[in-house]
Amino acid sequence: QPKKPESVTPTTGDQLAAEQRFTPRSGVPQAQDVPPSSKANPTFTLSQIVEIQHRIQVRHLGLEEAMSLIAERLTQIARASSAAIGILDSTKLIYRAAAGIMALPAGTEVPLENALGIACFRTGQVFRCADVSYELLLDRDECRRRGIQSMIAVPVFHDGGVAGGLELYFPNPQAFTEEDVHTCQLMAGLVTEALARNDEVSWKKSLATERAVMLEALEKLKPNLAALAETPAARDRKSVV
């Protein structure tokens, strides 16, 4: 029976949000277009996030495009194998964006109780798992099938609550740092912005549609209004004036 390392995420209900520390190991796959020093370079990370935010705004990317870009770039910045963004829908989680072979394809629906980041969704707190072999809250068989050895899940907030989460997967135990956790939180903020922008666009489209329907209805009423203006009572009022 292997000894449980100190870096394992606590599994009791009162300890889900507790902080844990660990030392990253070597052997994590490198993203080709990210400098080796970027893993420990907060300045580089922030510049990348600002660049992503700028690209989303300048190109007026839609919600799906924005989330896909965020997931893809997150794997590069954190040198992770895969990333996914899931949005809550009642009792299920719908993955709206995915990057890498460890993530479920975009469009996949998972019952909320089976989601790997369920602790994150329920508590609104960051969920860290440095080694899935010791984590009782995770489906170990599912992690083994997908090759996940460690992961991070951070909440995505919208309209005053948890709207979903961003999950980051690694093929090695203890493969991430606190800087990676912070990066995930910043990226989740970009997802929140994208959701808010999508709501605004949807509201404007709805308003424009309602206005068009109203104008069409008024156009149809014009003949009736004109006929009403020519009734005897209306003519009598005009003659009195």
Side-chain angles (χ1 to χ4, degrees), residues 181-241:
V181 174
H182 185 55
T183 298
C184 287
Q185 291 175 304
L186 293 175
M187 287 294 214
L190 295 185
V191 179
T192 296
E193 289 183 11
L195 289 170
R197 191 178 301 109
N198 182 70
D199 284 353
E200 182 180 359
V201 170
S202 299
W203 177 77
K204 288 182 178 180
K205 287 182 178 179
S206 176
L207 190 63
T209 300
E210 291 178 3
R211 182 174 182 274
V213 170
M214 183 181 66
L215 291 175
E216 182 180 358
L218 288 175
E219 286 295 324
K220 292 180 179 180
L221 286 174
K222 276 185 178 181
N224 295 332
L225 293 175
L228 182 62
E230 295 302 321
T231 60
R235 288 195 296 269
D236 292 342
R237 284 197 298 271
K238 287 182 180 179
S239 61
V240 170
V241 174

Side-chain angles (χ1 to χ4, degrees), residues 118-176:
I118 184 171
C120 163
F121 307 137
R122 284 180 172 174
T123 66
Q125 301 289 330
V126 174
F127 174 74
R128 302 166 176 81
C129 181
D131 191 337
V132 300
S133 301
Y134 301 99
E135 180 52 70
L136 300 179
L137 294 175
L138 290 177
D139 184 339
R140 299 177 192 176
D141 291 335
E142 176 68 7
C143 289
R144 190 179 302 111
R145 183 185 70 81
R146 291 160 58 181
I148 300 171
Q149 291 295 315
S150 56
M151 66 170 288
I152 305 168
V154 301
V156 170
F157 297 102
H158 182 55
D159 282 342
V162 177
L166 190 158
E167 300 174 355
L168 193 60
Y169 314 118
F170 297 86
N172 301 94
Q174 302 193 40
F176 57 87

Side-chain angles (χ1 to χ4, degrees), residues 12-31:
T12 62
D14 294 336
Q15 294 175 318
L16 282 176
E19 297 291 330
Q20 63 178 177
R21 307 235 177 232
F22 46 81
T23 302
R25 297 177 184 172
S26 59
V28 182
Q30 304 283 323

Side-chain angles (χ1 to χ4, degrees), residues 60-130:
H60 303 289
L61 298 184
L63 180 59
E64 307 299 330
E65 293 176 303
M67 289 195 295
S68 295
L69 175 63
I70 291 168
E72 182 67 34
R73 293 297 296 274
L74 178 58
T75 62
Q76 297 171 1
I77 295 172
R79 296 191 298 177
S81 176
S82 305
I85 300 173
I87 301 299
L88 296 174
D89 182 4
S90 186
T91 60
K92 61 186 177 183
L93 181 74
I94 303 176
Y95 284 103
R96 303 284 291 274
I101 60 174
M102 290 183 182
L104 296 176
T108 302
E109 299 183 3
V110 177
L112 185 56
E113 63 271 16
N114 295 338
L116 294 182
I118 184 171
C120 163
F121 307 137
R122 284 180 172 174
T123 66
Q125 301 289 330
V126 174
F127 174 74
R128 302 166 176 81
C129 181

